[in-house]
């Protein structure tokens, strides 16, 4: 057993520059607290509340703090926001008489102790305080509550809506949705393979798909290397518990020829065509979104791991 703080690198998940979360299958989390601070600082700083009405002038000064946590989870393109934050904004006011002479200048604070995704459909509690508790100071406080509170809650609702759309990753999500789609129903891809200690890579000859009468199908070749034994890779791919651990998605995998499997939370289903332990996995795959009658033959074999989608 490894000591605390140490671990077998084969079992440690790391961010890789060449990694890809294809179609957002995997759970991806983004820290949104820095973005939340920028959002409220921009929307609530130097915000005019009253500009002479009733001889009162009130405006916010700056956002003093945004504490707590905020994040967005993306799974299969679905946005799942989460946040529990508190907010504090300083404000200042001035009261004048009928001749325009200043009667009092006062400062105060506006606090929202709890903004949460659990109460996204409700306005949070807003507290307003003023440093001068005299009659004019209290009048400024009441004006801040009456006129300032609705404006601040409007900005909070804007924040809630922005988080629901992805917060700082909104533009990235919209770009993926608007990206042009290919007309290819399925594709062929070759992935890497595993020798005894290090993986050797061999390309599987491309098949002339159109000669088989399936026009419009294309072949895409991809190569990946895995520094492990072929036997280990076979066990990972055929063990549903390990599959769940690596992909963070539900899976049911039969280890028998002719047996059925379901992976990626049921989005991909199929049957085992041929199995040779540590050497070959031949399966028929089908995505739930594919038209009826369309499936793919996937071959994974030692020395060259090939995904052939036919």
């Amino acid at each position: 057993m490894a000591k605390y703080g140490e671990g077998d690198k084969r079992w440690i998940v790391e961010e890789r520059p060449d990694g890809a979360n294809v179609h957002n299958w995997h759970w991806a989390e983004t820290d949104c607290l820095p973005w939340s601070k920028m959002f409220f600082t921009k929307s609530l700083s130097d915000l005019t509340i009253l500009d002479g009405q009733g001889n009162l002038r009130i405006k916010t000064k700056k956002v003093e703090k945004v504490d707590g946590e905020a994040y967005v989870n993306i799974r299969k393109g679905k946005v799942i926001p989460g946040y529990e934050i508190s907010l504090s904004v300083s404000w200042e006011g001035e009261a004048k008489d009928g001749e325009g002479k200043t009667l009092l200048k006062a400062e105060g604070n506006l606090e929202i102790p709890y903004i949460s995704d659990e109460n996204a459909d409700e306005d949070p509690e807003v507290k307003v305080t003023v440093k001068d508790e005299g009659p004019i100071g209290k009048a400024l406080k009441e004006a801040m509550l009456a006129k300032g509170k609705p404006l601040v809650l409007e900005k909070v609702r804007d924040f809630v809506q922005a988080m629901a759309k992805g917060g700082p990753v909104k533009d990235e999500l919209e770009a993926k949705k608007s990206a042009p789609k290919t007309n290819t129903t399925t594709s062929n891809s070759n992935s890497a393979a595993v020798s005894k200690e290090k993986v050797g890579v061999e390309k599987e000859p491309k098949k002339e798909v159109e000669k088989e009468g399936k026009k419009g199908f294309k072949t895409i070749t991809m190569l990946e290397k895995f520094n492990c034994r072929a036997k280990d890779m076979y066990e990972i791919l055929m063990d549903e518990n390990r599959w769940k651990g690596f992909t963070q998605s539900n899976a049911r995998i039969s280890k028998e020829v002719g047996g059925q499997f379901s992976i990626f939370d049921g989005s991909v289903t199929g049957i085992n065509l041929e199995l040779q332990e540590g050497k070959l996995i031949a399966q028929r795959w089908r995505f739930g979104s594919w038209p009826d009658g369309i499936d793919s033959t996937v071959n994974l074999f030692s020395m060259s791991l090939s995904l052939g989608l036919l």
Side-chain angles (χ1 to χ4, degrees):
M1 180 180 294
K3 295 180 180 179
Y4 181 79
E6 300 178 0
D8 190 331
K9 292 184 177 180
R10 293 175 298 176
W11 301 102
I12 298 176
V13 179
E14 299 177 338
E15 292 289 340
R16 290 173 53 91
D18 59 342
N21 187 2
V22 180
H23 302 309
N24 288 309
W25 278 115
H26 305 297
W27 193 281
E29 183 172 296
T30 301
D31 180 13
C32 298
L33 186 58
W35 175 86
S36 301
K37 292 179 178 179
M38 292 177 59
F39 181 95
F40 284 118
T41 297
K42 183 178 180 180
S43 59
L44 292 178
S45 296
D46 199 23
L47 179 64
T48 299
I49 307 300
L50 287 174
D51 192 14
Q53 299 91 327
N55 294 324
L56 299 178
R57 295 181 183 275
I58 301 175
K59 72 172 186 176
T60 62
K61 295 174 63 178
K62 65 178 182 176
V63 175
E64 300 293 341
K65 69 173 183 177
V66 177
D67 290 340
E69 63 175 1
Y71 55 85
V72 164
N73 289 317
I74 308 295
R75 177 73 171 97
K76 294 184 181 178
K78 182 179 180 181
V79 178
I80 307 172
Y83 47 90
E84 290 184 2
I85 60 178
S86 60
L87 175 69
S88 176
V89 182
S90 59
W91 62 274
E92 61 184 9
E94 181 181 11
K96 296 184 178 182
D97 60 17
E99 298 178 355
K101 181 179 178 181
T102 298
L103 298 175
L104 177 71
K105 289 185 177 181
E107 294 183 344
N109 199 56
L110 180 148
E111 290 187 7
I112 303 180
Y114 191 64
I115 304 174
S116 170
D117 60 283
E118 295 181 353
N119 304 317
D121 56 345
E122 302 175 6
D123 287 334
E125 178 187 8
V126 177
K127 298 179 180 180
V128 176
T129 58
V130 65
K131 292 181 180 179
D132 190 316
E133 291 291 346
I136 300 178
K138 288 183 178 180
L140 288 169
K141 174 184 174 181
E142 293 300 321
M144 181 63 183
L145 270 170
K147 300 296 183 180
K149 178 180 175 179
L151 290 178
V152 172
L153 288 178
E154 181 182 341
K155 303 302 181 183
V156 172
R157 287 190 288 269
D158 290 343
F159 168 79
V160 171
Q161 293 176 5
M163 285 291 289
K165 294 179 181 179
V169 297
K170 174 187 174 184
D171 293 340
E172 179 182 346
L173 288 172
E174 291 181 348
K176 289 181 178 180
K177 289 181 180 179
S178 61
K181 297 181 180 179
T182 63
N183 294 325
T184 305
T185 305
T186 56
S187 59
N188 286 8
S189 59
N190 291 332
S191 281
V194 214
S195 64
K196 187 173 183 180
E197 292 299 333
K198 289 192 175 181
V199 179
V201 179
E202 297 177 357
K203 287 188 179 179
E204 182 186 20
K206 295 182 181 179
K207 298 183 179 180
E208 296 295 330
V209 179
E210 294 197 5
K211 288 185 179 180
E212 299 175 5
K214 295 184 178 181
K215 295 183 179 180
F217 287 60
K218 295 182 180 179
T219 298
I220 298 175
T221 300
M222 298 175 62
L223 297 176
E224 296 290 343
K225 291 184 178 181
F226 299 88
N227 292 327
C228 64
R229 295 174 299 177
K231 180 180 178 181
D232 295 333
M233 181 61 71
Y234 180 93
E235 291 177 354
I236 290 171
L237 294 173
M238 294 304 297
D239 185 288
E240 60 186 44
N241 290 322
R242 294 189 183 184
W243 183 284
K244 292 177 184 178
F246 277 102
T247 66
Q248 293 297 297
S249 64
N250 292 320
R252 294 182 64 85
I253 302 174
S254 169
K255 297 182 180 181
E256 304 294 331
V257 174
Q260 299 182 350
F261 65 87
S262 172
I263 55 179
F264 296 123
D265 294 327
S267 296
V268 177
T269 57
I271 62 173
N272 297 323
L273 301 178
E274 185 178 354
L275 300 174
Q276 298 179 24
E277 186 173 355
K279 296 181 180 180
L280 173 67
I281 300 174
Q283 297 174 322
R284 181 159 293 165
W285 284 28
R286 173 174 168 76
F287 282 80
S289 59
W290 287 356
D292 292 341
I294 300 297
D295 54 31
S296 302
T297 300
V298 179
N299 296 308
L300 302 92
F301 49 91
S302 61
M303 295 304 296
S304 177
L305 181 59
S306 164
L307 299 182
L309 306 183
L310 306 178

